[in-house]
Amino acid sequence: MKDHLPYDDQLAKMLSRGLTSADRPGAIAALKRIGYYRLSAYTYPFREPPTEADVAAKRTRAENFRPGARLEDALHLYEFDRKLRAVLLQALQEIEVGFATKVGYTLGKRAGDGHLKIEHLDASACRLVNQDGLTEHEAWVQRYEKLRKDAKDEEYVKHHILHYGGEIPIWVATGFMDFGCLIRLYSLMDARDRKRIAYELGLKGNGSDTLYRWLRALNILRNHCAHSNRIWNRATVDVPPKFSTQVAPEQLHHLNELDNDQRQKIYLLIALTAHLERTVNPSSTWAWSALPTQAKKLGNVGGMTLENTMRFPEGWQNLALWKK
């Protein structure tokens, strides 16, 4: 295990590898506020390319920094990323609430306890057996019951326990479900209900599978934002596949033109967020104001831009998706 390093020694380690700083007190304060390893994610791109020894050791960068690398530039990236997460989380939370409302309303029309009885869901999807030997619905109910138990002190839950014998209708239960739980429930809903919700979120035809893949990826992004994980320059996991242009609106068609490298970066998910946020709240200014305003603040940091680190397409601000 590595030895514990005092803040002065942490800064000395960075400086000894070629990173420069014009503000030593500010650098120490940043280390105290952010932490060495969290900050290292933003200094890492300023390192030299790997040597043969680095490659042999399976390191993707050398330990030394390239000439002119400044701690202040890394701190600019950190602040940009921190504010970008806040802007993204604002939209993602609005999508989550809007999606929860649609699930509760649509399934509630079938039955208040439609989430608990497979006759109101897609029976074939519910009966699939997972690797733990549980059906998909049984596994979902386990998660649901845990969330319900965790919410037992919420006033609206106590109200239903006191007055309705603990029976909580779906339009109420969505209030304590997390985004992942909601998305899993959506995947188990009757195909007609899934299609109806997808249509309300701007997807035509059989768009429910496309919506499911989008939401799954956005849930991961939402969790990264909520837990203060780096978004800038992050590689996306569970990348949604290309969609049928008959399903998605024209303003998203440029996403199918992104190459494989571009699809691995965060622009794809930011664009999907912009579309869904607008369908949930048509009066929102997020896509044409909040997001572009923050995105432009990255500028050019040591040659790193929106286009080459987050794979925003050239001229992205001129696309219909980002227009008022």
Side-chain angles (χ1 to χ4, degrees), residues 107 111-121 126 137-138 140-145 148 166-170 173 176-177 181 185 188-189:
L107 188 50
D113 59 355
H115 53 307
L116 299 175
K117 296 181 178 178
I118 63 173
E119 58 262 34
H120 302 301
L121 302 168
C126 289
H137 189 249
E138 287 170 342
W140 181 85
V141 169
Q142 282 190 356
R143 176 63 179 163
Y144 167 81
E145 290 296 347
R148 173 176 161 162
E167 293 184 358
I168 302 178
I170 180 59
F176 57 74
M177 293 184 203
C181 183
L185 175 58
L188 299 177
M189 289 173 66

Side-chain angles (χ1 to χ4, degrees), residues 97-156:
V97 171
F99 178 66
T101 301
K102 293 182 187 302
V103 168
Y105 184 84
T106 303
L107 188 50
K109 287 168 68 175
R110 290 186 177 272
D113 59 355
H115 53 307
L116 299 175
K117 296 181 178 178
I118 63 173
E119 58 262 34
H120 302 301
L121 302 168
D122 182 336
S124 60
C126 289
R127 291 188 177 117
L128 290 174
V129 178
N130 65 20
Q131 61 185 10
D132 296 321
L134 298 173
T135 68
E136 290 293 337
H137 189 249
E138 287 170 342
W140 181 85
V141 169
Q142 282 190 356
R143 176 63 179 163
Y144 167 81
E145 290 296 347
K146 181 183 184 305
L147 293 172
R148 173 176 161 162
K149 182 179 179 181
D150 291 344
K152 66 182 184 300
D153 293 327
E154 295 284 351
E155 289 300 326
Y156 66 92

Side-chain angles (χ1 to χ4, degrees), residues 6 43 144 183 194 213 220 233 237 243 246 249 263 287 305:
T43 63
Y144 167 81
I183 294 166
R194 287 188 285 116
R213 291 300 303 272
I220 296 171
N233 201 27
V237 298
F243 47 76
Q246 301 300 312
R263 296 186 68 81
T305 65

Side-chain angles (χ1 to χ4, degrees), residues 8-24:
D8 285 339
D9 291 346
Q10 292 176 20
L11 179 59
K13 184 176 181 179
M14 288 181 165
L15 299 181
S16 71
R17 292 176 172 175
L19 192 65
T20 64
S21 175
D23 181 9
R24 181 181 179 82

Side-chain angles (χ1 to χ4, degrees), residues 92 95-96 99 177-183 215 218-219 222:
L92 290 166
I95 292 167
E96 180 178 352
F99 178 66
M177 293 184 203
D178 59 33
F179 203 11
C181 183
L182 284 164
I183 294 166
L215 292 174
L218 291 180
N219 184 41
R222 177 227 174 271

